[in-house]
Amino acid sequence: MTKRSLPLRAGRPDVVRAAETVALRAGFLVLLLAVWQATARLAPPGLFASPATVARAGWQLAVDGKLGPAVLASLGVFVTGTALAAVVGATIGLAMGMWTWLGRMLDVYVYALAATPRIAFIPLIIVMLGLGLKAKVLIVFLGAVMPVILNAYAGVRATDPDLVEMARATGAGRGRILAHVVLPGAVPYLMTGLRIGATIGLINTVVAELYTAIGGLGGLLAIYGGRFRMAEYLAVVCVLALIGVIVAEGLRLAERRLLRWRDG
């Protein structure tokens, strides 16, 4: 009788794994800052700012009252456009997956639109909506909605057909099948689409602020980039990166909570 082979490393508690993740990320951040500092030292004066100089510039922007309003303005555009993309994209993607005739009809157009750079629509959007908030939100929406649609569609199509047939055999209607069979299996796909869509939405927020009425963090990038004030410019870039990290980790945490049933 042969013994069953054991894994090389037993599963560790979540707390230990989380601590390891934090340590690894902190170590990489130290390495990144060291490379950044070395690059700033080697670059010609004024061409590249050191981490300490960027931190001082960011603090000064906050003290002067320039950073806070810009962050709030950009977050307003980003959250509104991304939230609309999440609702509309999930609805369309789930509908395309649940009704196969709808998926066959729309998928080629969805893929075509996903392959089209949304920046190509900006002149048309400006003509239609002007340079205000609506135009910015629409630009963010167009960037964020496609990954949500495609991943929601893929999540529904990946549903085990045997589970669907078993649910139908018990008399479950389309609504109950969607709520208890399709949606739980599609959550990982949908959350992946939301993370990708949020990332693209943040990029499109800056693009929208650059192409329409200059404002928010994109406006600060345009101002300081045009004046070649690299410390302030990089401080704004770091703020955008921090927002992206917070959004991605928040969605990852939400996904983990939604999928607790799978591990329980």
Side-chain angles (χ1 to χ4, degrees), residues 66-159:
K66 297 178 180 178
L67 190 59
V71 170
L72 291 177
S74 294
L75 284 178
V77 174
F78 167 70
V79 171
T80 304
T82 305
L84 288 173
V87 174
V88 175
T91 302
I92 294 176
L94 292 174
M96 288 173 60
M98 288 295 294
W99 287 278
T100 55
W101 63 269
L102 184 64
R104 292 199 306 269
M105 180 177 67
L106 295 180
D107 62 354
V108 64
Y109 302 104
V110 171
Y111 287 118
L113 185 58
T116 304
R118 258 68 78 196
I119 195 173
F121 297 108
I122 291 180
L124 179 60
I125 293 172
I126 293 175
V127 170
M128 293 172 55
L129 300 178
L131 300 173
L133 179 63
K134 292 181 180 179
K136 296 177 183 178
V137 169
L138 182 56
I139 293 170
V140 175
F141 171 83
L142 290 177
V145 73
M146 302 313 299
V148 181
I149 294 176
L150 293 175
N151 280 273
Y153 181 40
V156 175
R157 294 187 65 186
T159 303

Side-chain angles (χ1 to χ4, degrees), residues 23-88:
L24 288 170
R25 291 177 177 178
F28 183 77
L29 178 60
V30 171
L31 176 62
L32 184 63
L33 290 174
V35 173
W36 184 354
Q37 179 66 32
T39 304
R41 285 182 176 273
L42 295 174
L47 183 63
F48 202 68
S50 66
T53 305
V54 171
R56 286 194 297 269
W59 175 256
Q60 192 61 47
L61 287 175
V63 170
D64 292 343
K66 297 178 180 178
L67 190 59
V71 170
L72 291 177
S74 294
L75 284 178
V77 174
F78 167 70
V79 171
T80 304
T82 305
L84 288 173
V87 174
V88 175

Side-chain angles (χ1 to χ4, degrees), residues 157-230:
R157 294 187 65 186
T159 303
D160 188 347
D162 293 334
L163 293 178
V164 175
E165 288 300 322
M166 289 174 59
R168 285 175 178 166
T170 61
R174 186 177 293 272
R176 291 189 62 186
I177 292 175
L178 175 64
H180 298 286
V181 179
V182 176
L183 279 179
V187 165
Y189 293 85
L190 183 57
M191 295 306 296
T192 299
L194 287 175
R195 285 202 300 270
I196 298 173
T199 302
I200 298 176
L202 185 58
I203 296 171
N204 278 25
T205 299
V206 177
V207 172
E209 291 171 341
L210 289 173
Y211 276 84
T212 60
I214 293 179
L217 294 174
L220 292 182
L221 287 178
I223 292 171
Y224 294 123
R227 298 174 183 175
F228 216 72
R229 295 174 59 176
M230 296 307 298

